[in-house]
């Protein structure tokens, strides 16, 4: 019995060990399958995360691009509206041209009368209507002088050259004198300098208009000294009243007087020649057109023709 029970126990142990081995194999297979499933799920999740990150970056870039485009559009729209309102708003320029004709006439007369009081700053009109009209008047006088002189005008009028000369002098010399006045500590603004120099051209208009119609050099020199000198003295006196220091006054007023008087000499003597030289350079010399001129046959040739005709008639 004892031996039989031992055999039975060994059989039971063998059965138990076999079943446990099978259970371990099944568990190992299940764990392997679970690991494979987890790896597959992990790979799928990683792919989804990568796709999400890619789509997120793409969406973020698109959003930033739209924001930048919107900002650029808003900035351009504000600048365009600002520029349009600046050019459309006439009130900005209205104070510089809001002047009565009586005031312009009085300032034209004052431009020929030098001031006596230079101990305190003299008043300068801060308007540009009168100076602008004087510049256009000077342009018209120059064109009139070109027509009344011996200068040959080709290819239309020379309005562009006259406008460039007059406006170039007015704007260029005014800017240069304003810079020089700034260096010399003169109390004057750019608009006041434009107005002062513009009204100073009134003497030039009178001198050139008279001397273009009456061609006498002596008359021109008289008007140059008297009329041009009075308008120059007016500007010099105003600048002296607004400048402190003898050296600064000498530099500023001497430069303005020299430029103003020399410009009048240039307009009377050299302007027409310079313009004619420019035209010759651009268009070539003024060559007269080719013309056929009828010439008389000399008497000798007539006699030869007559004798030749008689000889032919006799032979026939």
């Amino acid at each position: 019995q004892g031996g039989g029970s031992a055999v039975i126990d060994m059989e039971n142990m063998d059965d138990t060990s076999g079943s446990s081995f099978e259970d371990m194999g099944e568990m190992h297979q299940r764990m392997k399958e679970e690991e494979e499933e987890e790896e597959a799920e992990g790979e799928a999740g990683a792919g989804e995360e990568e796709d999400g990150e890619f789509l997120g970056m793409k969406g973020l870039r698109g959003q930033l691009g739209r924001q930048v485009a919107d900002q650029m559009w808003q900035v351009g729209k504000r600048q365009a509206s600002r520029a349009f309102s600046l050019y459309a708003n006439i009130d900005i320029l209205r104070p510089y041209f809001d002047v009565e004709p009586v005031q312009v006439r009085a300032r034209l007369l004052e431009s020929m009368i030098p001031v006596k009081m230079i101990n305190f700053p003299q008043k300068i009109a801060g308007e540009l209507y009168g100076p602008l009209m004087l510049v256009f008047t000077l342009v018209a006088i120059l064109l009139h002088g070109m027509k009344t002189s011996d200068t040959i005008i080709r290819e239309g009028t020379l309005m562009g050259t006259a406008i460039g000369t007059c406006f170039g002098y007015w704007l260029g010399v005014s800017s240069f004198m304003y810079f020089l006045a700034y260096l010399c500590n003169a109390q004057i603004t750019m608009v006041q300098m434009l107005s002062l120099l513009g009204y100073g051209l009134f003497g030039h208009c009178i001198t050139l208009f008279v001397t273009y119609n009456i061609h006498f050099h002596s008359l021109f020199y008289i008007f140059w000294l008297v009329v041009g000198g009075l308008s120059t003295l007016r500007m010099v006196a105003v600048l002296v009243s607004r400048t402190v220091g003898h050296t600064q006054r000498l530099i500023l007023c001497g430069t303005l007087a020299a430029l103003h008087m020399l410009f009048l000499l240039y307009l009377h003597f050299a302007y027409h020649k310079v313009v004619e030289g420019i035209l010759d350079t651009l268009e070539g010399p003024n060559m007269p057109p080719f013309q056929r001129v009828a010439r008389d046959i000399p008497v000798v040739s007539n006699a030869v023709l007559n004798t030749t005709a008689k000889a032919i008639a006799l032979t026939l």
Side-chain angles (χ1 to χ4, degrees), residues 3-20:
S5 63
V7 171
I8 293 169
D9 292 334
M10 289 296 294
E11 290 179 355
N12 293 330
M13 287 179 63
D14 292 338
D15 295 336
T16 305
S17 61
S19 61
S20 62

Side-chain angles (χ1 to χ4, degrees), residues 209-226:
F209 181 74
V210 174
T211 55
Y212 279 164
N213 294 289
I214 304 174
H215 300 283
F216 291 108
H217 291 297
S218 58
L219 182 64
F220 168 75
Y221 286 118
I222 293 173
F223 272 81
W224 179 67
L225 289 174
V226 176

Side-chain angles (χ1 to χ4, degrees), residues 171-183 186 188 190 193 197 239 251-257 259:
L171 299 176
V173 175
S174 297
S175 303
F176 175 72
M177 292 307 302
Y178 174 72
F179 175 72
L180 196 61
Y182 175 77
L183 296 179
I188 190 170
M190 184 63 188
M193 181 61 72
L197 188 64
L239 285 180
I251 294 173
L252 188 61
C253 299
T255 304
L256 180 59
L259 290 175

Side-chain angles (χ1 to χ4, degrees), residues 191-203:
V191 176
Q192 290 176 342
M193 181 61 72
L194 287 170
S195 178
L196 183 65
L197 188 64
Y199 276 109
L201 294 174
F202 182 57

Side-chain angles (χ1 to χ4, degrees), residues 10 21 41 51 75 104 108 161 185-186 199 248 258 262 264 297:
M10 289 296 294
F21 182 77
E41 290 178 357
D51 294 339
V75 171
V104 175
L108 289 175
T161 307
N185 295 324
Y199 276 109
Q248 290 84 352
L262 290 175
L264 183 55
I297 300 175

Side-chain angles (χ1 to χ4, degrees), residues 4 22-23 40 54 64 132 138 158 198 201 218 249 258 264 283 294:
E22 291 177 357
D23 293 339
F54 177 74
L64 289 176
L132 188 62
L138 186 60
L158 301 174
L201 294 174
S218 58
R249 289 178 176 178
L264 183 55
E283 302 175 3

